[in-house]
Coordinates of all heavy atoms in Angstrom, one line a residue:
M1 N -1.5 -4.4 -14.6 CA -2.9 -4.7 -14.5 C -3.6 -4.3 -15.8 O -3.5 -3.1 -16.2 CB -3.5 -3.9 -13.3 CG -3.1 -4.3 -11.9 SD -4.0 -5.8 -11.4 CE -2.6 -6.8 -11.0
N2 N -4.3 -5.2 -16.4 CA -5.2 -4.8 -17.5 C -6.6 -4.4 -16.9 O -6.8 -4.5 -15.7 CB -5.3 -5.9 -18.5 CG -5.8 -7.2 -18.0 OD1 -6.8 -7.2 -17.2 ND2 -5.3 -8.3 -18.4
N3 N -7.5 -4.0 -17.8 CA -8.7 -3.5 -17.4 C -9.6 -4.6 -16.6 O -10.3 -4.3 -15.6 CB -9.6 -3.0 -18.5 CG -9.0 -1.6 -19.0 OD1 -8.3 -0.9 -18.2 ND2 -9.3 -1.2 -20.2
D4 N -9.5 -5.9 -17.1 CA -10.2 -6.9 -16.4 C -9.7 -7.2 -15.0 O -10.4 -7.4 -14.1 CB -10.1 -8.2 -17.2 CG -10.9 -8.2 -18.5 OD1 -11.8 -7.3 -18.6 OD2 -10.7 -9.1 -19.4
Q5 N -8.3 -7.1 -14.9 CA -7.7 -7.3 -13.6 C -8.1 -6.2 -12.6 O -8.3 -6.4 -11.4 CB -6.2 -7.4 -13.7 CG -5.7 -8.7 -14.4 CD -4.3 -8.7 -14.7 OE1 -3.7 -7.7 -15.2 NE2 -3.6 -9.8 -14.3
I6 N -8.1 -4.9 -13.2 CA -8.5 -3.8 -12.3 C -9.9 -3.9 -11.9 O -10.3 -3.7 -10.7 CB -8.2 -2.5 -13.1 CG1 -6.7 -2.3 -13.2 CG2 -8.9 -1.3 -12.4 CD1 -6.3 -1.1 -14.1
R7 N -10.8 -4.4 -12.8 CA -12.2 -4.6 -12.5 C -12.3 -5.6 -11.3 O -13.1 -5.4 -10.4 CB -13.0 -5.1 -13.7 CG -14.5 -5.3 -13.4 CD -15.1 -6.2 -14.5 NE -14.5 -7.5 -14.4 CZ -14.2 -8.3 -15.4 NH1 -14.5 -7.9 -16.6 NH2 -13.6 -9.5 -15.2
D8 N -11.6 -6.7 -11.5 CA -11.6 -7.7 -10.4 C -11.1 -7.2 -9.1 O -11.6 -7.5 -8.0 CB -10.7 -8.9 -10.8 CG -11.4 -9.7 -12.0 OD1 -12.6 -9.5 -12.3 OD2 -10.7 -10.5 -12.6
A9 N -10.0 -6.4 -9.2 CA -9.5 -5.8 -7.9 C -10.5 -4.9 -7.3 O -10.6 -4.9 -6.0 CB -8.2 -5.1 -8.3
K10 N -11.2 -4.1 -8.1 CA -12.2 -3.2 -7.5 C -13.3 -4.0 -6.8 O -13.8 -3.7 -5.7 CB -12.8 -2.3 -8.6 CG -11.9 -1.2 -9.0 CD -12.4 -0.5 -10.2 CE -13.6 0.4 -10.0 NZ -14.0 1.1 -11.2
A11 N -13.7 -5.2 -7.4 CA -14.7 -6.0 -6.8 C -14.2 -6.6 -5.4 O -15.0 -6.9 -4.5 CB -15.1 -7.1 -7.7
L12 N -12.9 -6.8 -5.3 CA -12.3 -7.4 -4.1 C -12.0 -6.3 -3.0 O -11.7 -6.7 -1.9 CB -11.0 -8.1 -4.4 CG -11.2 -9.4 -5.3 CD1 -9.9 -9.9 -5.8 CD2 -11.9 -10.5 -4.5
L13 N -12.2 -5.1 -3.4 CA -11.7 -4.0 -2.4 C -12.5 -4.1 -1.1 O -11.8 -3.9 -0.1 CB -11.9 -2.6 -3.1 CG -11.4 -1.4 -2.3 CD1 -10.0 -1.6 -1.8 CD2 -11.6 -0.2 -3.1
P14 N -13.8 -4.3 -1.1 CA -14.4 -4.3 0.2 C -13.9 -5.4 1.1 O -13.7 -5.3 2.3 CB -15.9 -4.6 -0.1 CG -16.1 -4.1 -1.5 CD -14.7 -4.3 -2.2
M15 N -13.6 -6.6 0.5 CA -13.0 -7.7 1.3 C -11.6 -7.3 1.7 O -11.2 -7.6 2.9 CB -12.9 -9.0 0.4 CG -12.6 -10.2 1.2 SD -12.5 -11.7 0.2 CE -11.0 -11.4 -0.7
A16 N -10.8 -6.7 0.9 CA -9.5 -6.2 1.2 C -9.5 -5.3 2.4 O -8.7 -5.4 3.3 CB -8.8 -5.6 0.0
R17 N -10.5 -4.3 2.4 CA -10.6 -3.4 3.5 C -10.8 -4.2 4.8 O -10.2 -3.8 5.8 CB -11.8 -2.5 3.3 CG -11.5 -1.4 2.3 CD -12.7 -0.4 2.2 NE -12.6 0.5 1.1 CZ -13.5 0.6 0.1 NH1 -14.6 -0.2 0.1 NH2 -13.3 1.5 -0.8
S18 N -11.7 -5.1 4.8 CA -12.0 -5.8 6.0 C -10.9 -6.7 6.5 O -10.6 -6.9 7.7 CB -13.3 -6.7 5.8 OG -13.1 -7.7 4.9
M19 N -10.1 -7.2 5.5 CA -8.9 -8.0 5.9 C -7.9 -7.1 6.6 O -7.2 -7.5 7.6 CB -8.2 -8.6 4.7 CG -9.0 -9.8 4.1 SD -8.2 -10.4 2.6 CE -6.7 -11.0 3.2
L20 N -7.7 -5.9 6.1 CA -6.7 -5.0 6.7 C -7.1 -4.5 8.1 O -6.3 -4.3 8.9 CB -6.4 -3.8 5.8 CG -5.3 -3.9 4.8 CD1 -5.3 -5.2 4.0 CD2 -5.2 -2.7 3.9
D21 N -8.4 -4.3 8.2 CA -9.0 -3.9 9.5 C -8.2 -2.6 10.0 O -7.9 -2.6 11.2 CB -8.9 -5.0 10.5 CG -9.8 -4.7 11.7 OD1 -10.8 -3.9 11.6 OD2 -9.5 -5.3 12.8
G22 N -7.9 -1.7 9.1 CA -7.3 -0.4 9.5 C -5.8 -0.5 9.6 O -5.2 0.5 10.0
K23 N -5.2 -1.6 9.3 CA -3.7 -1.7 9.4 C -3.1 -2.0 8.0 O -3.5 -3.1 7.5 CB -3.4 -2.8 10.4 CG -1.9 -2.9 10.8 CD -1.7 -3.9 11.9 CE -0.2 -3.9 12.4 NZ 0.7 -4.5 11.3
P24 N -2.2 -1.2 7.5 CA -1.6 -1.5 6.2 C -0.9 -2.9 6.2 O -0.3 -3.3 7.1 CB -0.5 -0.4 6.0 CG -0.9 0.7 7.0 CD -1.6 0.0 8.1
T25 N -1.0 -3.5 5.0 CA -0.4 -4.9 4.9 C 0.8 -4.8 3.9 O 0.7 -4.1 2.9 CB -1.4 -5.9 4.4 OG1 -0.7 -7.2 4.2 CG2 -2.0 -5.5 3.0
T26 N 1.8 -5.6 4.2 CA 3.0 -5.7 3.3 C 2.8 -6.7 2.3 O 3.6 -7.0 1.4 CB 4.3 -6.0 4.2 OG1 4.0 -7.2 4.9 CG2 4.6 -4.9 5.1
S27 N 1.6 -7.4 2.2 CA 1.3 -8.4 1.2 C 0.8 -7.8 -0.1 O 0.5 -8.5 -1.0 CB 0.3 -9.4 1.7 OG 0.8 -10.1 2.9
A28 N 0.6 -6.5 -0.1 CA 0.1 -5.8 -1.3 C 1.1 -5.8 -2.4 O 2.3 -5.6 -2.2 CB -0.4 -4.4 -1.0
S29 N 0.6 -5.8 -3.7 CA 1.5 -5.7 -4.8 C 0.6 -5.4 -6.1 O -0.6 -5.3 -6.0 CB 2.4 -6.9 -5.1 OG 1.6 -7.9 -5.7
D30 N 1.3 -5.3 -7.2 CA 0.5 -5.1 -8.5 C 0.6 -6.4 -9.3 O 0.3 -6.3 -10.5 CB 0.9 -3.9 -9.3 CG 2.4 -4.0 -9.7 OD1 3.1 -5.0 -9.3 OD2 2.9 -3.0 -10.3
G31 N 0.8 -7.5 -8.7 CA 1.0 -8.7 -9.4 C -0.2 -9.5 -9.8 O -0.3 -10.2 -10.7
A32 N -1.3 -9.3 -9.0 CA -2.6 -10.0 -9.2 C -3.7 -9.2 -8.6 O -3.4 -8.3 -7.7 CB -2.5 -11.4 -8.6
P33 N -4.9 -9.4 -9.1 CA -6.0 -8.6 -8.6 C -6.2 -8.6 -7.1 O -6.5 -7.6 -6.5 CB -7.3 -9.2 -9.3 CG -6.7 -9.7 -10.6 CD -5.3 -10.2 -10.2
Q34 N -5.9 -9.8 -6.5 CA -6.1 -9.9 -5.0 C -5.1 -9.0 -4.3 O -5.4 -8.3 -3.4 CB -5.8 -11.3 -4.6 CG -6.9 -12.3 -5.0 CD -6.7 -12.8 -6.4 OE1 -5.8 -12.4 -7.1 NE2 -7.6 -13.8 -6.8
Q35 N -3.8 -9.0 -4.8 CA -2.8 -8.1 -4.2 C -3.0 -6.7 -4.5 O -2.7 -5.8 -3.7 CB -1.4 -8.5 -4.6 CG -0.8 -9.8 -3.9 CD -1.4 -11.1 -4.5 OE1 -1.6 -11.2 -5.7 NE2 -1.7 -12.0 -3.6
F36 N -3.6 -6.4 -5.7 CA -3.8 -5.0 -6.0 C -5.0 -4.4 -5.2 O -5.0 -3.2 -4.9 CB -4.2 -4.9 -7.5 CG -4.0 -3.5 -8.1 CD1 -2.8 -2.9 -8.2 CD2 -5.2 -2.8 -8.5 CE1 -2.7 -1.6 -8.7 CE2 -5.0 -1.5 -9.0 CZ -3.8 -0.9 -9.1
A37 N -6.0 -5.3 -4.9 CA -7.1 -4.8 -4.0 C -6.5 -4.4 -2.6 O -6.9 -3.4 -2.0 CB -8.1 -5.9 -3.9
L38 N -5.5 -5.2 -2.2 CA -4.9 -4.9 -0.9 C -4.1 -3.5 -1.0 O -4.1 -2.7 -0.1 CB -3.9 -6.0 -0.5 CG -4.5 -7.3 -0.1 CD1 -3.5 -8.4 0.1 CD2 -5.4 -7.2 1.2
A39 N -3.5 -3.3 -2.2 CA -2.7 -2.1 -2.4 C -3.7 -0.9 -2.4 O -3.4 0.2 -1.9 CB -2.0 -2.2 -3.7
M40 N -4.9 -1.0 -3.0 CA -5.9 0.0 -3.0 C -6.4 0.3 -1.6 O -6.6 1.4 -1.2 CB -7.0 -0.3 -3.9 CG -6.6 -0.2 -5.4 SD -8.1 -0.2 -6.5 CE -8.7 -1.9 -6.2
A41 N -6.5 -0.8 -0.8 CA -7.0 -0.6 0.6 C -5.9 0.1 1.4 O -6.1 0.9 2.3 CB -7.3 -2.0 1.2
N42 N -4.6 -0.3 1.1 CA -3.5 0.4 1.8 C -3.5 1.9 1.5 O -3.3 2.7 2.4 CB -2.1 -0.1 1.3 CG -1.7 -1.4 2.0 OD1 -2.2 -1.7 3.1 ND2 -0.7 -2.0 1.5
A43 N -3.8 2.3 0.2 CA -3.8 3.7 -0.2 C -4.9 4.5 0.6 O -4.7 5.7 1.0 CB -4.1 3.8 -1.7
E44 N -5.9 3.8 1.0 CA -7.0 4.5 1.8 C -6.5 4.8 3.2 O -7.1 5.6 4.0 CB -8.2 3.6 1.9 CG -8.9 3.5 0.5 CD -10.1 2.5 0.5 OE1 -10.3 1.9 1.5 OE2 -10.8 2.5 -0.5
L45 N -5.4 4.1 3.7 CA -4.9 4.3 5.0 C -3.8 5.3 5.1 O -3.2 5.5 6.2 CB -4.5 2.9 5.6 CG -5.6 1.9 5.7 CD1 -5.0 0.5 6.1 CD2 -6.7 2.3 6.6
L46 N -3.4 5.9 3.9 CA -2.3 6.8 3.9 C -2.6 8.0 4.7 O -3.7 8.6 4.7 CB -2.1 7.3 2.5 CG -1.0 6.5 1.6 CD1 -1.1 7.1 0.2 CD2 0.3 6.7 2.1
S47 N -1.5 8.5 5.4 CA -1.6 9.8 6.1 C -0.8 10.8 5.2 O 0.1 10.4 4.5 CB -0.9 9.8 7.5 OG -1.6 8.9 8.3
P48 N -1.2 12.1 5.3 CA -0.6 13.1 4.4 C 0.9 13.3 4.8 O 1.3 13.2 6.0 CB -1.3 14.4 4.7 CG -2.6 14.0 5.4 CD -2.3 12.7 6.1
G49 N 1.7 13.5 3.8 CA 3.1 13.9 4.0 C 4.1 12.7 3.8 O 3.7 11.6 3.4
W50 N 5.3 12.9 4.1 CA 6.4 12.0 4.0 C 6.8 11.4 5.3 O 6.9 12.1 6.3 CB 7.6 12.6 3.3 CG 7.4 13.0 1.9 CD1 6.8 14.1 1.4 CD2 7.6 12.2 0.7 NE1 6.7 14.1 0.0 CE2 7.2 12.9 -0.4 CE3 8.1 10.9 0.5 CZ2 7.3 12.4 -1.7 CZ3 8.2 10.4 -0.8 CH2 7.8 11.1 -1.9
C51 N 7.2 10.1 5.3 CA 7.7 9.4 6.5 C 9.0 10.0 6.9 O 9.9 10.2 6.2 CB 7.8 7.9 6.2 SG 8.7 7.0 7.5
L52 N 9.1 10.4 8.2 CA 10.3 10.9 8.8 C 10.7 10.0 10.0 O 11.5 10.4 10.8 CB 10.1 12.3 9.3 CG 9.8 13.3 8.2 CD1 9.4 14.7 8.8 CD2 10.9 13.5 7.2
C53 N 10.2 8.8 10.0 CA 10.6 7.9 11.1 C 12.1 7.7 11.2 O 12.8 7.5 10.2 CB 9.9 6.5 10.9 SG 8.1 6.5 11.1
P54 N 12.7 7.8 12.4 CA 14.1 7.7 12.6 C 14.7 6.4 12.0 O 15.9 6.4 11.6 CB 14.3 7.8 14.1 CG 13.0 8.4 14.6 CD 11.9 8.0 13.6
A55 N 14.0 5.3 12.1 CA 14.5 4.0 11.6 C 15.0 4.1 10.2 O 15.8 3.2 9.7 CB 13.5 2.9 11.8
R56 N 14.5 5.0 9.4 CA 14.8 5.1 8.0 C 16.3 5.2 7.8 O 16.9 4.7 6.8 CB 14.1 6.2 7.3 CG 12.7 6.0 7.1 CD 12.1 6.9 6.0 NE 12.6 6.5 4.8 CZ 12.4 7.2 3.6 NH1 11.8 8.4 3.7 NH2 12.9 6.8 2.5
A57 N 17.0 5.9 8.7 CA 18.4 6.2 8.6 C 19.2 5.0 9.1 O 20.4 4.9 8.9 CB 18.8 7.4 9.4
D58 N 18.6 4.1 9.8 CA 19.3 3.0 10.4 C 19.1 1.7 9.6 O 18.2 0.9 9.9 CB 18.8 2.8 11.9 CG 19.7 1.8 12.6 OD1 20.5 1.1 12.0 OD2 19.6 1.8 13.9
V59 N 19.9 1.5 8.6 CA 19.7 0.4 7.7 C 20.0 -0.9 8.4 O 19.6 -2.0 7.9 CB 20.5 0.5 6.4 CG1 19.9 1.7 5.6 CG2 22.0 0.7 6.7
D60 N 20.9 -0.9 9.4 CA 21.3 -2.1 10.1 C 20.1 -2.8 10.8 O 20.0 -4.0 10.8 CB 22.4 -1.9 11.0 CG 23.7 -1.5 10.3 OD1 23.8 -2.0 9.2 OD2 24.5 -0.7 10.8
T61 N 19.3 -2.0 11.4 CA 18.2 -2.6 12.2 C 17.0 -2.8 11.3 O 16.2 -3.7 11.5 CB 17.8 -1.7 13.4 OG1 17.5 -0.4 12.9 CG2 18.9 -1.6 14.4
A62 N 16.8 -2.0 10.3 CA 15.7 -2.2 9.3 C 14.4 -2.4 10.0 O 13.7 -3.3 9.7 CB 16.1 -3.4 8.3
I63 N 14.1 -1.6 11.0 CA 12.9 -1.7 11.7 C 11.7 -1.3 10.8 O 10.6 -1.8 10.9 CB 12.9 -0.8 13.0 CG1 13.9 -1.4 13.9 CG2 11.6 -0.8 13.6 CD1 14.3 -0.5 15.1
L64 N 12.0 -0.3 9.9 CA 10.9 0.2 9.1 C 10.3 -0.8 8.2 O 11.0 -1.5 7.5 CB 11.4 1.4 8.3 CG 10.4 2.1 7.5 CD1 9.5 3.0 8.3 CD2 11.1 3.0 6.4
E65 N 9.0 -1.0 8.2 CA 8.3 -1.8 7.3 C 7.6 -1.0 6.3 O 6.9 0.0 6.6 CB 7.2 -2.7 8.0 CG 7.7 -4.0 8.5 CD 6.6 -4.9 8.8 OE1 5.6 -4.5 9.4 OE2 6.7 -6.1 8.5
Q66 N 7.7 -1.3 5.0 CA 7.0 -0.6 4.0 C 6.0 -1.4 3.3 O 6.1 -2.6 3.1 CB 8.1 -0.1 2.9 CG 9.1 0.8 3.6 CD 10.0 1.5 2.5 OE1 9.6 2.3 1.8 NE2 11.2 1.0 2.4
A67 N 4.9 -0.8 2.9 CA 3.8 -1.5 2.3 C 3.4 -0.8 1.0 O 3.4 0.5 0.9 CB 2.5 -1.5 3.2
Y68 N 3.2 -1.5 -0.1 CA 2.9 -1.0 -1.4 C 1.5 -0.5 -1.4 O 0.6 -1.1 -0.8 CB 3.0 -2.1 -2.4 CG 2.7 -1.7 -3.9 CD1 3.6 -1.0 -4.6 CD2 1.5 -2.1 -4.4 CE1 3.4 -0.6 -5.9 CE2 1.2 -1.7 -5.8 CZ 2.1 -1.0 -6.5 OH 1.9 -0.6 -7.8
F69 N 1.3 0.7 -2.0 CA -0.1 1.2 -2.2 C -0.3 1.6 -3.6 O 0.6 1.9 -4.4 CB -0.4 2.4 -1.3 CG 0.3 3.6 -1.6 CD1 -0.3 4.5 -2.5 CD2 1.5 4.0 -1.1 CE1 0.4 5.7 -2.9 CE2 2.2 5.1 -1.4 CZ 1.6 6.0 -2.3
A70 N -1.6 1.6 -4.1 CA -1.9 2.0 -5.4 C -3.3 2.6 -5.4 O -4.2 2.3 -4.6 CB -1.9 0.8 -6.4
R71 N -3.4 3.6 -6.3 CA -4.7 4.2 -6.5 C -5.2 4.0 -7.9 O -4.4 3.7 -8.8 CB -4.6 5.7 -6.3 CG -4.2 6.1 -4.9 CD -4.3 7.7 -4.7 NE -3.8 8.1 -3.5 CZ -2.6 8.6 -3.3 NH1 -1.8 8.7 -4.3 NH2 -2.2 9.1 -2.1
L72 N -6.5 4.0 -8.1 CA -7.1 3.8 -9.5 C -6.6 4.8 -10.5 O -6.6 4.5 -11.7 CB -8.6 3.7 -9.4 CG -9.1 2.4 -8.8 CD1 -10.7 2.5 -8.8 CD2 -8.7 1.2 -9.7
D73 N -6.2 6.0 -10.0 CA -5.8 7.0 -11.0 C -4.3 6.7 -11.5 O -3.8 7.5 -12.3 CB -5.9 8.4 -10.4 CG -4.9 8.6 -9.2 OD1 -4.1 7.7 -9.0 OD2 -5.0 9.7 -8.6
G74 N -3.8 5.6 -11.0 CA -2.4 5.3 -11.5 C -1.3 5.6 -10.5 O -0.2 5.1 -10.6
G75 N -1.6 6.4 -9.5 CA -0.6 6.7 -8.5 C -0.3 5.5 -7.6 O -1.2 4.8 -7.3
H76 N 1.0 5.3 -7.4 CA 1.4 4.2 -6.5 C 2.7 4.5 -5.8 O 3.4 5.4 -6.2 CB 1.4 2.9 -7.3 CG 2.5 2.9 -8.3 ND1 2.3 3.4 -9.6 CD2 3.8 2.5 -8.3 CE1 3.4 3.2 -10.3 NE2 4.3 2.7 -9.5
G77 N 3.0 3.7 -4.8 CA 4.3 3.9 -4.1 C 4.3 3.0 -2.9 O 3.7 2.0 -2.8
W78 N 5.1 3.5 -1.9 CA 5.2 2.7 -0.7 C 5.0 3.6 0.5 O 5.3 4.8 0.5 CB 6.7 2.2 -0.6 CG 7.0 1.3 -1.7 CD1 7.4 1.6 -3.0 CD2 6.9 -0.1 -1.7 NE1 7.6 0.5 -3.7 CE2 7.3 -0.6 -3.0 CE3 6.5 -1.1 -0.7 CZ2 7.3 -1.9 -3.3 CZ3 6.6 -2.4 -1.1 CH2 6.9 -2.8 -2.4
L79 N 4.3 3.0 1.5 CA 4.1 3.8 2.8 C 4.7 3.1 3.9 O 5.0 1.8 3.9 CB 2.6 3.9 3.0 CG 1.7 2.7 3.2 CD1 1.6 2.4 4.7 CD2 0.3 2.9 2.7
C80 N 5.0 3.8 5.0 CA 5.5 3.3 6.2 C 4.4 2.7 7.1 O 3.4 3.4 7.3 CB 6.2 4.4 7.0 SG 6.7 4.1 8.7
T81 N 4.5 1.5 7.5 CA 3.4 0.9 8.2 C 3.3 1.4 9.6 O 2.3 1.2 10.3 CB 3.6 -0.7 8.3 OG1 4.8 -1.0 9.0 CG2 3.5 -1.3 7.0
R82 N 4.4 2.1 10.1 CA 4.3 2.7 11.4 C 3.5 4.0 11.4 O 2.6 4.2 12.2 CB 5.7 3.0 11.9 CG 5.8 3.5 13.4 CD 7.2 3.9 13.8 NE 8.1 2.8 13.8 CZ 9.4 2.9 13.9 NH1 10.0 4.1 13.9 NH2 10.1 1.8 13.9
C83 N 3.9 5.0 10.6 CA 3.3 6.3 10.6 C 2.3 6.5 9.5 O 1.5 7.4 9.4 CB 4.3 7.4 10.5 SG 5.2 7.5 8.9
R84 N 2.3 5.5 8.5 CA 1.4 5.5 7.4 C 1.6 6.7 6.4 O 0.7 7.0 5.6 CB -0.1 5.5 7.8 CG -0.4 4.3 8.7 CD -1.8 4.2 9.1 NE -2.0 3.0 10.0 CZ -3.2 2.7 10.5 NH1 -4.2 3.3 10.2 NH2 -3.2 1.6 11.2
K85 N 2.8 7.3 6.4 CA 3.1 8.3 5.5 C 3.9 7.7 4.3 O 4.5 6.6 4.5 CB 3.8 9.5 6.1 CG 3.0 10.2 7.2 CD 3.7 11.3 7.8 CE 2.8 12.0 8.9 NZ 3.5 13.1 9.5
I86 N 4.0 8.4 3.2 CA 4.7 7.9 2.1 C 6.2 7.9 2.3 O 6.8 8.8 2.9 CB 4.4 8.8 0.8 CG1 3.0 8.7 0.4 CG2 5.3 8.5 -0.3 CD1 2.5 9.6 -0.7
T87 N 6.9 6.7 1.9 CA 8.3 6.6 1.9 C 8.9 6.8 0.5 O 10.0 7.1 0.3 CB 8.8 5.3 2.5 OG1 8.2 4.2 1.7 CG2 8.3 5.2 3.9
Q88 N 8.1 6.4 -0.5 CA 8.6 6.4 -1.9 C 7.4 6.4 -2.9 O 6.4 5.7 -2.6 CB 9.4 5.2 -2.2 CG 10.1 5.1 -3.5 CD 10.8 3.8 -3.7 OE1 11.3 3.2 -2.8 NE2 10.9 3.3 -4.9
T89 N 7.4 7.2 -3.9 CA 6.4 7.1 -5.0 C 7.0 6.5 -6.2 O 8.2 6.5 -6.4 CB 5.8 8.5 -5.3 OG1 6.9 9.3 -5.7 CG2 5.1 9.1 -4.2
G90 N 6.2 5.8 -7.0 CA 6.8 5.1 -8.1 C 6.0 5.4 -9.4 O 5.0 6.1 -9.4
Ligands
LIG1 ZN1 7.2 6.3 9.1

């Protein structure tokens, strides 16, 4: 994301929040301002701590859904859409 793209993403954040309606989306990424706005909205839904959902150990069922999140300070990673806690930072 360059500065122009980040500016565009910030402008889209209110719309992204309303699209999510309190539920993290797996459509977020850092590929374009629209997806980055969703990633910032995902970050607002994070719960403190690390995901300990049992499905993480069961790779065959792969029940766990992960959603990308990003903050304007540069922090980013993945959260569990079930418990909303962090599964991985990047
Ligand atoms: Zn979880």
